[in-house]
């Protein structure tokens, strides 16, 4: 199953708390609260490019399922993750 495509967010829960947790300033939280951002996913086998598209700002992360990857939050914090397929393959 391919996940490639563009997806528009329909709703968000705990938006303010999450944004504060990842270090987004209050003024930017206020601006983005009601904006319905678009996520674009490009899948090539186990390789993914995931972009969150906001007005004037796009955050793009790349990862490969089964390998450790370096990702970045909207607040600029970097972290390591390892993705796995669970029950889908």
């Amino acid at each position: 199953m391919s996940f490639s495509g563009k997806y528009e967010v329909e709703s968000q829960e705990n938006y303010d708390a999450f944004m504060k947790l990842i270090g987004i300033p209050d003024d930017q939280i206020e601006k983005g609260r009601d904006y319905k951002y678009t996520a674009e996913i490009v899948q090539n086998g186990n390789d993914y490019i995931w972009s969150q598209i906001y007005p004037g700002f796009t955050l793009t992360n790349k990862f490969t399922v089964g390998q450790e990857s370096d990702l970045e939050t909207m607040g600029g914090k970097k972290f390591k993750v390892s993705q796995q397929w669970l029950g889908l393959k």
Side-chain angles (χ1 to χ4, degrees):
M1 171 171 53
S2 176
F3 291 101
S4 292
K6 287 188 176 186
Y7 305 90
E8 185 176 298
V9 173
E10 290 183 7
S11 66
Q12 302 180 100
E13 293 181 25
N14 300 319
Y15 170 83
D16 287 25
F18 176 76
M19 294 305 232
K20 286 180 182 184
L21 184 68
I22 64 170
I24 304 299
D26 288 340
D27 63 325
Q28 289 181 3
I29 292 171
E30 184 69 33
K31 288 178 188 176
R33 182 176 296 118
D34 295 322
Y35 181 75
K36 304 294 185 197
Y37 75 88
T38 300
E40 182 174 11
I41 300 170
V42 177
Q43 178 185 2
N44 184 8
N46 285 337
D47 297 325
Y48 288 83
I49 301 171
W50 169 41
S51 299
Q52 291 174 272
I53 304 162
Y54 295 89
F57 175 73
T58 299
L59 173 66
T60 299
N61 282 295
K62 298 176 183 179
F63 63 90
T64 300
V65 174
Q67 297 180 7
E68 186 174 81
S69 303
D70 294 311
L71 302 182
E72 184 175 352
T73 69
M74 289 181 287
K77 294 180 182 177
K78 298 182 189 241
F79 60 100
K80 292 187 180 291
V81 298
S82 181
Q83 298 82 7
Q84 298 178 5
W85 287 110
L86 296 176
L88 294 176
K89 284 204 163 201

